[in-house]
Amino acid sequence: MQTSEYAIEAHGLVKKFGNFVANDHLTFDVKKGEIFGFLGANGAGKTTAMKILCGLLLPTSGKIKVAGFDVYTQTNLIKKHIGYMSQKFSLYEDLSIEENFRFYGGIYGLSRKQIAERTSTMLKKLDIEPLRKSLISSLPLGIRQKLAFSVAIIHSPGIVFLDEPTGGVDPITRRQFWEMIYEASEQGITVFVTTHYMDEAEYCNRVSIMVDGRIEALGTPGELKKKFDATDMNQVFLKLARKAG
Amino acid sequence: MNKVSVYGKGLTKSYGKTEALKSVSFSVEKGEIFGFIGPDGAGKTTLFRLLTTLLLPDSGAASIEGLDVVKDYRRLRQILGYMPGRFSLYQDLSVEENLRFFAGIFKVSISDNYHLIADIYEQIAPFAKRRAGKLSGGMKQKLALSCALIHKPEVLILDEPTTGVDAVSRREFWEMLIRLKQSGITILVATPYMDEAILCDRVALIQHGTIMATGSPADIIQTYPHKLFRIKSQNTLQLLRIMRQMPELKSAEMFGEYIHIGSSPNKMNESDIAAFLNQNNIRQFDLEPMEAGIEDCFMHLMKQQSST
């Protein structure tokens, strides 16, 4: 199973809530190490699909594998092999940096030694070693976001899911964050990311755009701009999403 | 020169040891859309709370339509429309009840100023009986704007109205603001989205409690001091690492699939960059000169700020 070249394989993913079809036959693959942007308007069905891929919600039908595991029967294995970060919730504010690393490392079953090593490596990389014992609540937003990402990959997952990770930060911090994403991808971690910043869509290797529960476009940013005769991803998005409604 | 509508001078505000605003001065002309552009924690919300008379400044002064934000707060509140960052309508009241409530506290009837909100409110009118808490993000935003406008304010103050909403709703919201401007209302809007700057008549770029630059987007772009190129190749991260080693370079920042590189004027041209890349075994790349955007300016100003 682990030999597949794909981190995510979704074929005909359907999710219904009563009569409402939140996800309507989504079919897409995400290659290992790829940065995949998952875009769509508010209410298009992104969160539902993301929950299914994270093993938190069962689909109605479809054949879906994440990190080689089945989303119907192997959700616990999926959870072990993925990382997750969102803007809304990521770190415990009244724990220190070190305690957050120890907590999440513990949840993912890392040994004390592994946790200590990875904590040191990441703090060194972010150049914030003196802040080791600082409470998360005392840190600026930019540092928190970089830490949250570091914590989300502390167990070296095959895939990391990022749910609108960069909201509200300054443009320099946002770029430092994307550099971290590129580095993770370089190390073979697959990155699945949602964002409302259309310029960020252009950082992705490939993007899909959801409209009313369906994937209406899928390709590299360059391909989509060409196909929709647009100068940037914002125009592509507006052309697609405005048709809906 | 148009008449000044909103004016701030030396506004300073601290929360304990945190200085949220450090002597901020600006003026907004009547009838313009003025944007405060900056990330979370820049001081935008604190500034708007001072202007809306919800907080007192530690020092400095501000006035709106000639009314002082401290002395004349009662009269001032009558002519302001305010949409706070967090959704702050009554979740348990219906759409229509919220609107009636806000009209009521300003002692106007909905029909008096309905023309102002007609094209916004009509989009949510089919849900008039729905509780505000049950609306989608885009609809909440439209209701909040309707409630902020129903007493026909002279000045409208919007704190991050487009944060967290998708690109389509964002575009529609700006179209509404541009129509409102035509009815003569002065609009102050805070946003973390750099690309919204060009939709404003003038902007203030704000970071760490300080206004770094003020002017029309075109004026600000004029002040960008470097010569700018954009470049792309197959591997952006690799290209970025190599470009950063080029000694003559002032900046190298990722912009989607491109990297923007800045140099002092006359220090570097395309053939110098191409030669440097060839030395580093990069042969496949697209390179072209370009004009700076607001985001290039913002990052340049941030670096200047942190180096002083």
Side-chain angles (χ1 to χ4, degrees), chain A residues 40-43 87 141 164 167-176 178-179 182-183 186 196-200 202-203 221-222 225 234 237-238 241-242, chain B residues 39-40 137-138 164-172 175 192-195 207 235-238 240-241 244 253-258 295 298-299 302-303:
Chain A
N42 297 337
Q87 190 195 340
L141 180 70
E164 293 184 31
V169 299
D170 68 72
I172 291 181
T173 306
R174 206 144 69 89
R175 284 172 173 76
Q176 291 166 346
W178 273 94
E179 269 184 58
Y182 272 66
E183 282 166 12
E186 209 173 43
H196 282 315
Y197 288 91
M198 285 306 124
D199 55 338
E200 285 194 340
E202 317 220 4
Y203 291 127
K225 281 186 276 185
N234 197 45
F237 188 87
L238 290 173
R242 274 207 163 162
Chain B
D40 288 3
V165 304
D166 64 62
V168 175
S169 308
R170 217 143 65 79
R171 173 65 65 93
E172 285 173 359
E175 286 166 358
Y193 290 95
M194 302 283 144
D195 60 349
Q207 166 78 336
N235 186 333
T236 308
L237 190 57
Q238 180 202 35
L240 188 63
R241 284 173 184 150
R244 281 184 181 152
E253 299 289 354
M254 293 199 288
F255 271 77
E257 54 183 341
Y258 286 94
E295 198 158 352
F298 197 97
M299 287 194 283
M302 271 180 79
K303 287 176 197 163

Side-chain angles (χ1 to χ4, degrees), chain B residues 81-83 87 89 95-96 98-103 106 108 110 113-114 116-125 135 138-153 156 158 173 176-177 180 185:
Chain B
Y82 175 46
M83 192 170 145
F87 183 67
L89 301 179
V95 166
E96 152 183 277
N98 266 295
L99 190 61
R100 217 182 304 137
F101 175 83
F102 281 92
F106 285 105
V108 296
I110 292 174
N113 301 315
Y114 189 75
L116 262 185
I117 62 163
D119 68 328
I120 305 163
Y121 190 73
E122 269 158 24
Q123 300 174 52
I124 48 173
L135 296 174
M139 288 199 282
K140 279 181 180 165
Q141 189 196 40
K142 284 169 188 150
L143 177 59
L145 184 59
S146 301
C147 290
L149 281 169
I150 195 61
H151 60 295
K152 195 172 190 252
L156 185 61
L158 309 168
F173 195 82
M176 292 189 276
L177 292 191
L180 279 173
I185 296 178

Side-chain angles (χ1 to χ4, degrees), chain B residues 70-287:
Chain B
V70 179
K71 287 197 307 256
D72 306 317
Y73 74 94
R74 278 176 185 277
R75 277 161 66 206
L76 187 49
R77 287 177 185 180
Q78 297 294 320
I79 62 158
L80 282 185
Y82 175 46
M83 192 170 145
R86 230 175 252 165
F87 183 67
S88 53
L89 301 179
Y90 292 92
Q91 313 251 2
D92 291 338
L93 296 184
S94 70
V95 166
E96 152 183 277
E97 285 164 342
N98 266 295
L99 190 61
R100 217 182 304 137
F101 175 83
F102 281 92
I105 53 173
F106 285 105
K107 301 194 176 67
V108 296
S109 76
I110 292 174
S111 55
D112 292 344
N113 301 315
Y114 189 75
H115 62 281
L116 262 185
I117 62 163
D119 68 328
I120 305 163
Y121 190 73
E122 269 158 24
Q123 300 174 52
I124 48 173
F127 311 98
K129 305 278 180 214
R130 190 180 289 186
R131 285 187 190 186
K134 299 277 181 204
L135 296 174
S136 72
M139 288 199 282
K140 279 181 180 165
Q141 189 196 40
K142 284 169 188 150
L143 177 59
L145 184 59
S146 301
C147 290
L149 281 169
I150 195 61
H151 60 295
K152 195 172 190 252
E154 290 181 48
V155 177
L156 185 61
I157 297 186
L158 309 168
D159 193 1
E160 297 207 15
T162 57
T163 292
V165 304
D166 64 62
V168 175
S169 308
R170 217 143 65 79
R171 173 65 65 93
E172 285 173 359
F173 195 82
W174 274 96
E175 286 166 358
M176 292 189 276
L177 292 191
I178 288 160
R179 282 197 296 270
L180 279 173
K181 171 189 147 86
Q182 283 154 8
S183 63
I185 296 178
T186 305
I187 301 172
L188 273 63
V189 56
T191 178
Y193 290 95
M194 302 283 144
D195 60 349
E196 292 181 354
I198 51 162
L199 300 166
C200 302
D201 297 312
R202 289 193 307 137
V203 295
L205 304 185
I206 181 168
Q207 166 78 336
H208 296 321
T210 307
I211 291 180
M212 302 187 295
T214 311
S216 71
D219 289 344
I220 290 177
I221 287 167
Q222 280 279 313
T223 65
Y224 185 76
H226 301 148
K227 191 170 163 188
L228 204 61
F229 301 89
R230 64 176 197 174
I231 180 167
K232 75 171 172 180
S233 77
Q234 275 300 319
N235 186 333
T236 308
L237 190 57
Q238 180 202 35
L239 183 63
L240 188 63
R241 284 173 184 150
I242 290 171
M243 284 314 311
R244 281 184 181 152
Q245 289 164 15
M246 190 167 177
E248 298 85 355
L249 217 65
K250 292 282 181 190
S251 68
E253 299 289 354
M254 293 199 288
F255 271 77
E257 54 183 341
Y258 286 94
I259 296 171
H260 290 188
I261 50 183
S263 75
S264 302
N266 312 321
K267 273 273 167 67
M268 213 168 74
N269 56 36
E270 279 154 279
S271 55
D272 298 328
I273 299 168
F276 180 78
L277 288 171
N278 277 325
Q279 273 168 35
N280 286 279
N281 291 319
I282 302 218
R283 320 225 171 253
Q284 295 264 322
F285 55 85
D286 291 339
L287 173 67

Side-chain angles (χ1 to χ4, degrees), chain A residues 48-194:
Chain A
T48 301
M50 192 123 144
K51 279 185 180 164
I52 291 169
L53 297 175
C54 290
L56 300 172
L57 187 67
L58 281 176
T60 307
S61 62
K63 201 169 162 234
I64 305 115
K65 277 186 178 168
V66 176
F69 302 109
D70 184 273
V71 298
Y72 296 91
T73 57
Q74 297 177 300
T75 52
N76 282 337
L77 285 166
I78 289 176
K79 286 173 199 162
K80 267 189 199 169
H81 288 85
I82 64 172
Y84 176 81
M85 171 197 168
S86 83
Q87 190 195 340
K88 288 173 200 110
F89 174 79
S90 40
L91 302 172
Y92 288 94
E93 299 215 342
D94 42 8
L95 294 183
S96 69
I97 292 182
E98 187 176 69
E99 287 164 340
N100 268 287
F101 274 101
R102 212 186 306 147
F103 176 79
Y104 281 99
I107 283 186
Y108 285 113
L110 301 185
S111 69
R112 274 165 192 264
K113 192 164 159 256
Q114 282 174 316
I115 293 173
E117 277 170 10
R118 288 185 196 176
T119 306
S120 296
T121 314
M122 285 181 176
L123 294 186
K124 201 172 278 174
K125 212 175 107 197
L126 296 176
D127 201 17
I128 51 168
E129 282 162 301
L131 299 177
R132 179 182 275 267
K133 298 203 185 296
S134 307
L135 294 187
I136 298 298
S137 57
S138 72
L139 302 171
L141 180 70
I143 292 185
R144 280 195 224 189
Q145 283 185 328
K146 289 179 209 162
L147 274 171
F149 182 69
S150 305
V151 165
I153 57 171
I154 191 171
H155 55 302
S156 311
I159 308 168
V160 63
F161 289 87
L162 307 175
D163 196 358
E164 293 184 31
T166 61
V169 299
D170 68 72
I172 291 181
T173 306
R174 206 144 69 89
R175 284 172 173 76
Q176 291 166 346
F177 191 83
W178 273 94
E179 269 184 58
M180 290 179 75
I181 293 179
Y182 272 66
E183 282 166 12
S185 149
E186 209 173 43
Q187 290 158 23
I189 296 179
T190 306
V191 181
F192 188 93
V193 57
T194 70

